Amino acid sequence: MAVRICSLIVDMPQLVPADGRYHVVRFPYGREESHDPDNMHPARQPDGYTVGKWRSDDRSGLIWPSVDGWGALTAMVQWEKGNYTELRDRFSRDPLGLSTGADSTATDHRAPSPGMQCFTKHHEIFVHPDVPLALMVAHDDRTARRLVFAEFKLAVHTTT
């Protein structure tokens, strides 16, 4: 059995609007990436689109699986202090409607913790090369808040 891995990390704060909607977490390219030997987080994406500025383009949050297989998704998110009553996160297949249409899974709505707002998640699904994946977040504070750190990882298990 082969395993293909993409591991993304961002430690530059991202402002998440106070609009109640989910937003794609964006990740940098190149040297700042943690690990992407199978090019599943390409700036030039499989449909021909090229991401210009990762900080402002939701496509920089997409992982495009390199093969069909059983995908193990993991994530970690850390929020700045705020007046939240709920913090939200989910994984989404095709969140931007580029292939099959948005289909979210592993949605969690969490009450804030007494200390830092640090959360992890794990979920497993079938993945396909033409269906990109994303980590999405939201909050219910009355003002925009920063996501200060995030990780998004995919391990695709295949029989070839």
Side-chain angles (χ1 to χ4, degrees), residues 2 40 47 49 51-52 64 87 90 97-100 102 111 120 126-127 129 137 139 145 153 160:
M40 291 191 270
D47 64 357
Y49 180 89
V51 175
W64 295 80
L87 295 162
R90 65 172 39 157
L98 303 174
S99 65
T100 58
T120 59
F126 285 107
V127 298
V137 296
H139 64 82
R145 291 294 175 190
K153 302 168 186 304
T160 58

Side-chain angles (χ1 to χ4, degrees), residues 6 20 36 42 50 56 59 61 78-80 87 98 101-102 112 119 122 141 143 157 159:
C6 181
D36 187 22
T50 300
S56 59
R59 281 183 171 238
Q78 295 179 4
W79 291 91
E80 71 175 331
L87 295 162
L98 303 174
F119 304 100
H122 177 91
D141 203 336
T143 185
H157 301 267
T159 56

Side-chain angles (χ1 to χ4, degrees), residues 37-119:
D38 294 300
N39 198 35
M40 291 191 270
H41 184 241
R44 180 165 170 76
Q45 302 196 339
D47 64 357
Y49 180 89
T50 300
V51 175
K53 296 182 179 179
W54 73 267
R55 288 183 189 239
S56 59
D57 193 331
D58 282 346
R59 281 183 171 238
S60 69
L62 301 178
I63 291 179
W64 295 80
S66 58
V67 294
D68 287 313
W70 185 245
L73 299 164
T74 56
M76 179 173 64
V77 295
Q78 295 179 4
W79 291 91
E80 71 175 331
K81 186 176 180 177
N83 293 315
Y84 315 101
T85 58
E86 192 170 70
L87 295 162
R88 304 170 187 144
D89 49 72
R90 65 172 39 157
F91 294 119
S92 185
R93 294 177 190 94
D94 192 24
L96 305 177
L98 303 174
S99 65
T100 58
D103 176 23
S104 295
T105 186
T107 299
D108 288 311
H109 290 199
R110 311 163 190 268
S113 65
M116 288 181 62
Q117 304 312 312
C118 304
F119 304 100

